[in-house]
């Protein structure tokens, strides 16, 4: 026997996560239009410690995709030490100047394209202060064997209720690096 509901439920939960991510990333991606192009880690320092409103600096994180993460991973100081450091208690977490780096897949957070140039996106700030996420009852999954009883069918309904609102546009800034 196969538990069809659990298999379909996983697929629907994945689709719901993708829909939520898309709605969160849409206003962030709009910030890339006028974003500063980074040529070195110094632009990232300026963004973190000067451009970003100082009230958000202690809670700021760096959000980027796989290409941006690789660019950060290749940065070294004058003594050839990496500028991105792992968290010793959680080896899959990385930090830059004390700020956690959140890596999203390239399929989720795509590179920006301008003419023939491709840029890896960087969003720096406090996402929770930038955007409010509303969710009502999470993912609702229900099934009925009575609905299609004449056809020996089974009906499955999935409902997800959520929304996002940008609440403080000063809490997040965007940068990009040419690949």
């Amino acid at each position: 026997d196969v538990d069809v509901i659990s298999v379909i439920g996983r697929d629907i939960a994945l689709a719901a996560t993708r829909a939520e991510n898309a709605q969160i990333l849409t206003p962030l991606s709009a910030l890339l239009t006028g974003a500063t192009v980074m040529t070195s880690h110094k632009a990232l320092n300026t963004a973190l410690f000067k451009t970003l409103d100082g009230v958000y600096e202690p809670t700021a994180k760096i959000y980027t995709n796989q290409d941006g993460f690789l660019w950060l991973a290749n940065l070294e100081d004058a003594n050839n030490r990496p500028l991105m450091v792992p968290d010793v208690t959680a080896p899959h977490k990385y930090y830059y100047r004390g700020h956690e780096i959140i890596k999203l897949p390239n399929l989720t957070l795509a590179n920006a394209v301008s003419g023939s140039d491709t840029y890896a996106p960087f969003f720096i700030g406090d996402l929770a202060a930038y955007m409010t996420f509303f969710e009502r009852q999470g993912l609702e999954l229900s099934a009925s064997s009575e609905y299609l009883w004449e056809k020996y069918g089974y009906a499955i309904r999935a409902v997800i209720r959520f929304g996002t609102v940008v609440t403080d546009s000063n809490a997040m800034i965007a940068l990009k690096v040419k690949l």
Side-chain angles (χ1 to χ4, degrees), residues 158-176:
V159 178
I160 181 167
R161 298 174 197 93
F162 71 93
T164 59
V165 174
V166 174
T167 49
D168 188 353
S169 59
N170 294 322
M172 189 71 69
I173 58 172
L175 298 172
K176 54 189 176 183

Side-chain angles (χ1 to χ4, degrees), residues 97-117:
R97 303 274 192 230
H99 297 276
E100 185 178 358
I101 302 163
I102 307 297
K103 177 180 68 170
L104 299 169
N106 283 355
L107 290 175
T108 302
L109 179 57
N111 289 322
V113 177
S114 178
S116 63
D117 296 328

Side-chain angles (χ1 to χ4, degrees), residues 36-176:
T36 301
V37 178
M38 291 190 291
T39 55
S40 74
H41 70 282
K42 292 179 182 180
L44 191 55
N45 293 343
T46 301
L48 275 167
F49 306 122
K50 183 179 177 189
T51 310
L52 183 65
D53 188 335
V55 94
Y56 301 113
E57 194 269 325
T59 56
K61 294 182 181 179
I62 301 168
Y63 301 86
T64 189
N65 64 9
Q66 292 166 296
D67 292 330
F69 189 84
L70 180 61
W71 182 80
L72 273 176
N74 289 330
L75 293 178
E76 295 178 335
D77 66 10
N79 296 320
N80 295 327
R81 292 178 299 200
L83 294 178
M84 187 171 77
V85 295
D87 183 339
V88 294
T89 63
H92 296 292
K93 277 189 180 181
Y94 288 88
Y95 291 86
Y96 175 83
R97 303 274 192 230
H99 297 276
E100 185 178 358
I101 302 163
I102 307 297
K103 177 180 68 170
L104 299 169
N106 283 355
L107 290 175
T108 302
L109 179 57
N111 289 322
V113 177
S114 178
S116 63
D117 296 328
T118 304
Y119 299 92
F122 284 82
F123 302 104
I124 297 104
D126 186 336
L127 186 59
Y130 176 75
M131 178 177 290
T132 302
F133 183 83
F134 300 96
E135 185 173 40
R136 182 171 177 234
Q137 297 178 338
L139 174 63
E140 176 189 318
L141 188 63
S142 57
S144 171
S145 59
E146 289 85 26
Y147 177 70
L148 296 172
W149 69 273
E150 294 174 344
K151 298 180 182 182
Y152 298 102
Y154 208 76
I156 299 173
R157 178 181 69 189
V159 178
I160 181 167
R161 298 174 197 93
F162 71 93
T164 59
V165 174
V166 174
T167 49
D168 188 353
S169 59
N170 294 322
M172 189 71 69
I173 58 172
L175 298 172
K176 54 189 176 183

